Amino acid sequence: MTQLFPLNEKPSLSPYKKGDVLVLFGELFTRGYANGLVEEAERRGMTIVRATVGRREKDGTLRALNAEETANIPAPFINVPMEAGFDMEPDSKGVTPCQQLEGVKMSEWDKVQLDWSSIEESQKNGTARFKKNTELFLKELEQYIPAGANVLFAHLMAGGVPRTKVIMPVLNRVAKGTGDRHISSQALMDSEIGKLCLKNFQDVTADTFKHLVDLSTPLRKKLEASGSHVSYTAYGYHGTEVLIRGQYKWQTYTCYFQGWAKMALEKHAEDFAKQGIHCCVYNCPEILTNSSSIFQGVEVSLYPLIAAIHKDAGDKKHAEQVLNDCKALLKDDVTLEQIIKTTDDYLTNDLTLEFTKFEKWPQHSRQDQMEYMLKNSDALFDMHKDPKNLLTAVLSEVVFKSCGYVMLHDSWQPKAPVAWIGHDLVARCM
């Protein structure tokens, strides 16, 4: 278990300067954490080297982006398909793990028996492909690093849900199912499908970081020998501290399926730090992203940022603007204080606290706990004028911008290989 290490003080400006290089190891999508890191690096005059995970053809072939797809991507851009995982990787007979699940009905999801020797072969092939493409990426990267430039590698890889039809309905029932439609996360993880998910999660979320650091060792040593500084960052989630009844306390979303992979990611960072490598996994607060929307309830932990902004905002004028933007999205008879009371009551409820134990993270969910979370999530949605236009979008922007500042400037000399950015620090860095 990683020891909780919250960063509380706003980092001072790091030595990163114009001409230094931020390398995005993974694709930059909209409404994601990495956008804040890119914005902060651009403010420092750094060069941003972008990457892609590539795209899949209808026959499953992985390819680089075409001219139309690259038209709006700023240079420098390295067009090597950096997709990770093995769910669509064929074995020696041409069969992929996803193909093993073709035609599986929802009623049969927990009875599926997979060919694990085939899956292990696909996993081995997927790892070999990813490492080969990483080497190609790093070779092309060298031309974009000027003499004397410092380099920050930002690991953006996450996810790994197998791309097959039966998975999403199951995940929907685990994350949103109530009554007879509920499926427990333990039941999913104990199933063949769940075991496949866990393997692919680790390959995508954790082991890609290990491959990056390992394979970039010759480049890192070459740069450091010439006086340059090299660091690595990665995005984690392991719960975060939020303001609950006036005190910052650790809390989390349960069940967080990526949790086991995120802990493996943390372990990689700890191992590399022992070798003297500058690296850190930053456990960031939840935000509303395109990928997190399936997991209703994750956004409940974002609302307390209102109270943190009111209490600890570093820029009072900016804070006032953000809070006014939030108020404008609520129904006329709803106040920000009511939002905070709802989240305070939820986060201090005995049922929630039963599933908020740091030493047991990640815990599996239970039907009564999930239903209570979803009930509170719905109640908060209902306080808005438009349930599709939530104040969590406004707050998410504050989070990813503040996290970008913290990660860029702390990463020069990380205080720990695994660190937490809580709502207190997010507010102070506004």
Side-chain angles (χ1 to χ4, degrees), residues 189-214:
M189 293 311 186
D190 288 345
S191 71
E192 298 271 294
I193 288 177
K195 289 171 184 174
L196 172 62
C197 287
L198 289 175
K199 274 182 173 287
N200 209 43
F201 289 163
Q202 168 133 350
D203 262 36
V204 175
T205 299
D207 293 347
T208 49
F209 183 75
K210 182 179 188 303
H211 300 322
L212 166 64
V213 180
D214 281 341

PDB file of all heavy atoms in Angstrom, residues 189-214:
ATOM      1  N   MET A 189     -15.214  -8.677 -11.354  1.00  0.00           N
ATOM      2  CA  MET A 189     -13.781  -8.924 -11.287  1.00  0.00           C
ATOM      3  C   MET A 189     -13.443 -10.396 -11.110  1.00  0.00           C
ATOM      4  O   MET A 189     -12.356 -10.836 -11.500  1.00  0.00           O
ATOM      5  CB  MET A 189     -13.155  -8.102 -10.154  1.00  0.00           C
ATOM      6  CG  MET A 189     -13.198  -6.610 -10.390  1.00  0.00           C
ATOM      7  SD  MET A 189     -12.597  -6.124 -12.021  1.00  0.00           S
ATOM      8  CE  MET A 189     -12.621  -4.360 -11.890  1.00  0.00           C
ATOM      9  N   ASP A 190     -14.357 -11.163 -10.526  1.00  0.00           N
ATOM     10  CA  ASP A 190     -14.118 -12.605 -10.350  1.00  0.00           C
ATOM     11  C   ASP A 190     -14.422 -13.405 -11.616  1.00  0.00           C
ATOM     12  O   ASP A 190     -14.052 -14.572 -11.709  1.00  0.00           O
ATOM     13  CB  ASP A 190     -14.981 -13.148  -9.204  1.00  0.00           C
ATOM     14  CG  ASP A 190     -14.474 -12.689  -7.837  1.00  0.00           C
ATOM     15  OD1 ASP A 190     -13.330 -12.200  -7.773  1.00  0.00           O
ATOM     16  OD2 ASP A 190     -15.230 -12.816  -6.856  1.00  0.00           O
ATOM     17  N   SER A 191     -15.086 -12.768 -12.570  1.00  0.00           N
ATOM     18  CA  SER A 191     -15.464 -13.468 -13.813  1.00  0.00           C
ATOM     19  C   SER A 191     -14.284 -13.490 -14.786  1.00  0.00           C
ATOM     20  O   SER A 191     -13.292 -12.778 -14.611  1.00  0.00           O
ATOM     21  CB  SER A 191     -16.648 -12.765 -14.470  1.00  0.00           C
ATOM     22  OG  SER A 191     -16.248 -11.512 -15.020  1.00  0.00           O
ATOM     23  N   GLU A 192     -14.404 -14.314 -15.828  1.00  0.00           N
ATOM     24  CA  GLU A 192     -13.370 -14.379 -16.862  1.00  0.00           C
ATOM     25  C   GLU A 192     -13.223 -13.020 -17.555  1.00  0.00           C
ATOM     26  O   GLU A 192     -12.111 -12.573 -17.837  1.00  0.00           O
ATOM     27  CB  GLU A 192     -13.739 -15.463 -17.888  1.00  0.00           C
ATOM     28  CG  GLU A 192     -13.820 -16.868 -17.322  1.00  0.00           C
ATOM     29  CD  GLU A 192     -12.487 -17.593 -17.360  1.00  0.00           C
ATOM     30  OE1 GLU A 192     -11.993 -17.883 -18.461  1.00  0.00           O
ATOM     31  OE2 GLU A 192     -11.943 -17.861 -16.278  1.00  0.00           O
ATOM     32  N   ILE A 193     -14.354 -12.375 -17.809  1.00  0.00           N
ATOM     33  CA  ILE A 193     -14.314 -11.050 -18.446  1.00  0.00           C
ATOM     34  C   ILE A 193     -13.602 -10.054 -17.539  1.00  0.00           C
ATOM     35  O   ILE A 193     -12.776  -9.248 -17.987  1.00  0.00           O
ATOM     36  CB  ILE A 193     -15.738 -10.562 -18.778  1.00  0.00           C
ATOM     37  CG1 ILE A 193     -16.313 -11.368 -19.953  1.00  0.00           C
ATOM     38  CG2 ILE A 193     -15.746  -9.072 -19.110  1.00  0.00           C
ATOM     39  CD1 ILE A 193     -17.742 -11.012 -20.319  1.00  0.00           C
ATOM     40  N   GLY A 194     -13.894 -10.092 -16.242  1.00  0.00           N
ATOM     41  CA  GLY A 194     -13.256  -9.192 -15.294  1.00  0.00           C
ATOM     42  C   GLY A 194     -11.755  -9.406 -15.219  1.00  0.00           C
ATOM     43  O   GLY A 194     -10.982  -8.442 -15.156  1.00  0.00           O
ATOM     44  N   LYS A 195     -11.331 -10.665 -15.252  1.00  0.00           N
ATOM     45  CA  LYS A 195      -9.891 -10.965 -15.207  1.00  0.00           C
ATOM     46  C   LYS A 195      -9.192 -10.446 -16.461  1.00  0.00           C
ATOM     47  O   LYS A 195      -8.057  -9.956 -16.388  1.00  0.00           O
ATOM     48  CB  LYS A 195      -9.686 -12.468 -15.042  1.00  0.00           C
ATOM     49  CG  LYS A 195     -10.077 -12.976 -13.651  1.00  0.00           C
ATOM     50  CD  LYS A 195     -10.071 -14.497 -13.584  1.00  0.00           C
ATOM     51  CE  LYS A 195     -10.563 -14.958 -12.207  1.00  0.00           C
ATOM     52  NZ  LYS A 195     -10.717 -16.436 -12.140  1.00  0.00           N
ATOM     53  N   LEU A 196      -9.871 -10.543 -17.599  1.00  0.00           N
ATOM     54  CA  LEU A 196      -9.324  -9.994 -18.838  1.00  0.00           C
ATOM     55  C   LEU A 196      -9.183  -8.469 -18.721  1.00  0.00           C
ATOM     56  O   LEU A 196      -8.163  -7.902 -19.115  1.00  0.00           O
ATOM     57  CB  LEU A 196     -10.231 -10.354 -20.025  1.00  0.00           C
ATOM     58  CG  LEU A 196      -9.889  -9.699 -21.371  1.00  0.00           C
ATOM     59  CD1 LEU A 196      -8.495 -10.111 -21.841  1.00  0.00           C
ATOM     60  CD2 LEU A 196     -10.938 -10.060 -22.432  1.00  0.00           C
ATOM     61  N   CYS A 197     -10.212  -7.822 -18.162  1.00  0.00           N
ATOM     62  CA  CYS A 197     -10.163  -6.373 -17.964  1.00  0.00           C
ATOM     63  C   CYS A 197      -8.965  -5.977 -17.098  1.00  0.00           C
ATOM     64  O   CYS A 197      -8.217  -5.060 -17.438  1.00  0.00           O
ATOM     65  CB  CYS A 197     -11.449  -5.879 -17.300  1.00  0.00           C
ATOM     66  SG  CYS A 197     -12.897  -5.853 -18.371  1.00  0.00           S
ATOM     67  N   LEU A 198      -8.789  -6.667 -15.976  1.00  0.00           N
ATOM     68  CA  LEU A 198      -7.700  -6.336 -15.057  1.00  0.00           C
ATOM     69  C   LEU A 198      -6.340  -6.457 -15.730  1.00  0.00           C
ATOM     70  O   LEU A 198      -5.450  -5.618 -15.533  1.00  0.00           O
ATOM     71  CB  LEU A 198      -7.753  -7.237 -13.819  1.00  0.00           C
ATOM     72  CG  LEU A 198      -8.899  -6.975 -12.838  1.00  0.00           C
ATOM     73  CD1 LEU A 198      -8.904  -8.017 -11.728  1.00  0.00           C
ATOM     74  CD2 LEU A 198      -8.780  -5.584 -12.217  1.00  0.00           C
ATOM     75  N   LYS A 199      -6.154  -7.509 -16.532  1.00  0.00           N
ATOM     76  CA  LYS A 199      -4.890  -7.696 -17.254  1.00  0.00           C
ATOM     77  C   LYS A 199      -4.659  -6.555 -18.239  1.00  0.00           C
ATOM     78  O   LYS A 199      -3.554  -6.008 -18.338  1.00  0.00           O
ATOM     79  CB  LYS A 199      -4.906  -9.028 -18.006  1.00  0.00           C
ATOM     80  CG  LYS A 199      -4.458 -10.236 -17.201  1.00  0.00           C
ATOM     81  CD  LYS A 199      -4.469 -11.482 -18.084  1.00  0.00           C
ATOM     82  CE  LYS A 199      -3.865 -12.671 -17.366  1.00  0.00           C
ATOM     83  NZ  LYS A 199      -2.396 -12.563 -17.237  1.00  0.00           N
ATOM     84  N   ASN A 200      -5.696  -6.202 -18.994  1.00  0.00           N
ATOM     85  CA  ASN A 200      -5.544  -5.155 -19.999  1.00  0.00           C
ATOM     86  C   ASN A 200      -5.373  -3.780 -19.348  1.00  0.00           C
ATOM     87  O   ASN A 200      -4.621  -2.939 -19.834  1.00  0.00           O
ATOM     88  CB  ASN A 200      -6.742  -5.150 -20.951  1.00  0.00           C
ATOM     89  CG  ASN A 200      -6.363  -4.653 -22.342  1.00  0.00           C
ATOM     90  OD1 ASN A 200      -5.323  -5.018 -22.885  1.00  0.00           O
ATOM     91  ND2 ASN A 200      -7.192  -3.811 -22.918  1.00  0.00           N
ATOM     92  N   PHE A 201      -6.079  -3.544 -18.222  1.00  0.00           N
ATOM     93  CA  PHE A 201      -5.901  -2.299 -17.476  1.00  0.00           C
ATOM     94  C   PHE A 201      -4.438  -2.124 -17.072  1.00  0.00           C
ATOM     95  O   PHE A 201      -3.867  -1.046 -17.212  1.00  0.00           O
ATOM     96  CB  PHE A 201      -6.747  -2.286 -16.194  1.00  0.00           C
ATOM     97  CG  PHE A 201      -8.228  -2.156 -16.407  1.00  0.00           C
ATOM     98  CD1 PHE A 201      -9.114  -2.481 -15.386  1.00  0.00           C
ATOM     99  CD2 PHE A 201      -8.748  -1.720 -17.609  1.00  0.00           C
ATOM    100  CE1 PHE A 201     -10.480  -2.358 -15.556  1.00  0.00           C
ATOM    101  CE2 PHE A 201     -10.116  -1.597 -17.789  1.00  0.00           C
ATOM    102  CZ  PHE A 201     -10.984  -1.922 -16.764  1.00  0.00           C
ATOM    103  N   GLN A 202      -3.843  -3.195 -16.529  1.00  0.00           N
ATOM    104  CA  GLN A 202      -2.459  -3.092 -16.075  1.00  0.00           C
ATOM    105  C   GLN A 202      -1.526  -2.818 -17.249  1.00  0.00           C
ATOM    106  O   GLN A 202      -0.605  -2.010 -17.142  1.00  0.00           O
ATOM    107  CB  GLN A 202      -2.023  -4.381 -15.350  1.00  0.00           C
ATOM    108  CG  GLN A 202      -0.533  -4.432 -15.118  1.00  0.00           C
ATOM    109  CD  GLN A 202      -0.118  -4.819 -13.719  1.00  0.00           C
ATOM    110  OE1 GLN A 202      -0.941  -4.892 -12.804  1.00  0.00           O
ATOM    111  NE2 GLN A 202       1.165  -5.077 -13.532  1.00  0.00           N
ATOM    112  N   ASP A 203      -1.752  -3.501 -18.380  1.00  0.00           N
ATOM    113  CA  ASP A 203      -0.905  -3.286 -19.553  1.00  0.00           C
ATOM    114  C   ASP A 203      -0.954  -1.844 -20.024  1.00  0.00           C
ATOM    115  O   ASP A 203       0.076  -1.253 -20.363  1.00  0.00           O
ATOM    116  CB  ASP A 203      -1.362  -4.211 -20.702  1.00  0.00           C
ATOM    117  CG  ASP A 203      -0.505  -5.461 -20.789  1.00  0.00           C
ATOM    118  OD1 ASP A 203      -0.098  -5.962 -19.726  1.00  0.00           O
ATOM    119  OD2 ASP A 203      -0.243  -5.933 -21.912  1.00  0.00           O
ATOM    120  N   VAL A 204      -2.165  -1.259 -20.052  1.00  0.00           N
ATOM    121  CA  VAL A 204      -2.343   0.096 -20.584  1.00  0.00           C
ATOM    122  C   VAL A 204      -1.940   1.155 -19.564  1.00  0.00           C
ATOM    123  O   VAL A 204      -1.166   2.070 -19.857  1.00  0.00           O
ATOM    124  CB  VAL A 204      -3.808   0.315 -21.025  1.00  0.00           C
ATOM    125  CG1 VAL A 204      -4.026   1.761 -21.471  1.00  0.00           C
ATOM    126  CG2 VAL A 204      -4.184  -0.647 -22.146  1.00  0.00           C
ATOM    127  N   THR A 205      -2.466   1.048 -18.371  1.00  0.00           N
ATOM    128  CA  THR A 205      -2.338   2.101 -17.365  1.00  0.00           C
ATOM    129  C   THR A 205      -0.996   2.103 -16.649  1.00  0.00           C
ATOM    130  O   THR A 205      -0.450   3.170 -16.361  1.00  0.00           O
ATOM    131  CB  THR A 205      -3.472   1.957 -16.326  1.00  0.00           C
ATOM    132  OG1 THR A 205      -4.731   2.092 -17.002  1.00  0.00           O
ATOM    133  CG2 THR A 205      -3.377   2.993 -15.225  1.00  0.00           C
ATOM    134  N   ALA A 206      -0.452   0.924 -16.371  1.00  0.00           N
ATOM    135  CA  ALA A 206       0.753   0.827 -15.544  1.00  0.00           C
ATOM    136  C   ALA A 206       2.012   0.473 -16.326  1.00  0.00           C
ATOM    137  O   ALA A 206       3.012   1.186 -16.271  1.00  0.00           O
ATOM    138  CB  ALA A 206       0.528  -0.207 -14.436  1.00  0.00           C
ATOM    139  N   ASP A 207       1.954  -0.622 -17.070  1.00  0.00           N
ATOM    140  CA  ASP A 207       3.189  -1.134 -17.669  1.00  0.00           C
ATOM    141  C   ASP A 207       3.726  -0.244 -18.783  1.00  0.00           C
ATOM    142  O   ASP A 207       4.926  -0.271 -19.074  1.00  0.00           O
ATOM    143  CB  ASP A 207       2.970  -2.562 -18.174  1.00  0.00           C
ATOM    144  CG  ASP A 207       2.741  -3.541 -17.017  1.00  0.00           C
ATOM    145  OD1 ASP A 207       2.996  -3.149 -15.859  1.00  0.00           O
ATOM    146  OD2 ASP A 207       2.302  -4.677 -17.264  1.00  0.00           O
ATOM    147  N   THR A 208       2.858   0.551 -19.402  1.00  0.00           N
ATOM    148  CA  THR A 208       3.341   1.498 -20.415  1.00  0.00           C
ATOM    149  C   THR A 208       4.301   2.510 -19.809  1.00  0.00           C
ATOM    150  O   THR A 208       5.234   2.969 -20.467  1.00  0.00           O
ATOM    151  CB  THR A 208       2.168   2.241 -21.081  1.00  0.00           C
ATOM    152  OG1 THR A 208       1.303   2.754 -20.050  1.00  0.00           O
ATOM    153  CG2 THR A 208       1.380   1.329 -22.001  1.00  0.00           C
ATOM    154  N   PHE A 209       4.089   2.868 -18.547  1.00  0.00           N
ATOM    155  CA  PHE A 209       5.001   3.793 -17.862  1.00  0.00           C
ATOM    156  C   PHE A 209       6.370   3.137 -17.679  1.00  0.00           C
ATOM    157  O   PHE A 209       7.416   3.759 -17.912  1.00  0.00           O
ATOM    158  CB  PHE A 209       4.416   4.207 -16.510  1.00  0.00           C
ATOM    159  CG  PHE A 209       5.247   5.212 -15.765  1.00  0.00           C
ATOM    160  CD1 PHE A 209       5.270   6.548 -16.153  1.00  0.00           C
ATOM    161  CD2 PHE A 209       6.020   4.842 -14.663  1.00  0.00           C
ATOM    162  CE1 PHE A 209       6.043   7.488 -15.468  1.00  0.00           C
ATOM    163  CE2 PHE A 209       6.786   5.768 -13.976  1.00  0.00           C
ATOM    164  CZ  PHE A 209       6.799   7.094 -14.385  1.00  0.00           C
ATOM    165  N   LYS A 210       6.358   1.870 -17.295  1.00  0.00           N
ATOM    166  CA  LYS A 210       7.615   1.132 -17.129  1.00  0.00           C
ATOM    167  C   LYS A 210       8.366   1.052 -18.455  1.00  0.00           C
ATOM    168  O   LYS A 210       9.581   1.276 -18.517  1.00  0.00           O
ATOM    169  CB  LYS A 210       7.344  -0.269 -16.585  1.00  0.00           C
ATOM    170  CG  LYS A 210       8.605  -1.086 -16.336  1.00  0.00           C
ATOM    171  CD  LYS A 210       8.280  -2.449 -15.774  1.00  0.00           C
ATOM    172  CE  LYS A 210       9.554  -3.181 -15.340  1.00  0.00           C
ATOM    173  NZ  LYS A 210      10.532  -3.339 -16.424  1.00  0.00           N
ATOM    174  N   HIS A 211       7.636   0.730 -19.532  1.00  0.00           N
ATOM    175  CA  HIS A 211       8.283   0.632 -20.852  1.00  0.00           C
ATOM    176  C   HIS A 211       8.871   1.987 -21.263  1.00  0.00           C
ATOM    177  O   HIS A 211       9.977   2.047 -21.810  1.00  0.00           O
ATOM    178  CB  HIS A 211       7.282   0.147 -21.900  1.00  0.00           C
ATOM    179  CG  HIS A 211       6.703  -1.211 -21.609  1.00  0.00           C
ATOM    180  ND1 HIS A 211       7.453  -2.229 -21.066  1.00  0.00           N
ATOM    181  CD2 HIS A 211       5.443  -1.709 -21.791  1.00  0.00           C
ATOM    182  CE1 HIS A 211       6.675  -3.311 -20.909  1.00  0.00           C
ATOM    183  NE2 HIS A 211       5.471  -3.010 -21.349  1.00  0.00           N
ATOM    184  N   LEU A 212       8.129   3.065 -21.003  1.00  0.00           N
ATOM    185  CA  LEU A 212       8.612   4.400 -21.357  1.00  0.00           C
ATOM    186  C   LEU A 212       9.935   4.702 -20.656  1.00  0.00           C
ATOM    187  O   LEU A 212      10.914   5.116 -21.294  1.00  0.00           O
ATOM    188  CB  LEU A 212       7.570   5.464 -20.986  1.00  0.00           C
ATOM    189  CG  LEU A 212       8.065   6.918 -20.987  1.00  0.00           C
ATOM    190  CD1 LEU A 212       8.488   7.349 -22.388  1.00  0.00           C
ATOM    191  CD2 LEU A 212       6.992   7.848 -20.424  1.00  0.00           C
ATOM    192  N   VAL A 213       9.964   4.524 -19.346  1.00  0.00           N
ATOM    193  CA  VAL A 213      11.172   4.866 -18.589  1.00  0.00           C
ATOM    194  C   VAL A 213      12.325   3.943 -18.976  1.00  0.00           C
ATOM    195  O   VAL A 213      13.453   4.393 -19.197  1.00  0.00           O
ATOM    196  CB  VAL A 213      10.907   4.820 -17.068  1.00  0.00           C
ATOM    197  CG1 VAL A 213      12.170   5.183 -16.293  1.00  0.00           C
ATOM    198  CG2 VAL A 213       9.773   5.772 -16.684  1.00  0.00           C
ATOM    199  N   ASP A 214      12.045   2.652 -19.071  1.00  0.00           N
ATOM    200  CA  ASP A 214      13.100   1.699 -19.448  1.00  0.00           C
ATOM    201  C   ASP A 214      13.689   2.018 -20.821  1.00  0.00           C
ATOM    202  O   ASP A 214      14.910   2.114 -20.990  1.00  0.00           O
ATOM    203  CB  ASP A 214      12.544   0.267 -19.469  1.00  0.00           C
ATOM    204  CG  ASP A 214      12.425  -0.344 -18.081  1.00  0.00           C
ATOM    205  OD1 ASP A 214      13.080   0.162 -17.150  1.00  0.00           O
ATOM    206  OD2 ASP A 214      11.662  -1.323 -17.929  1.00  0.00           O
TER     207      ASP A 214
END
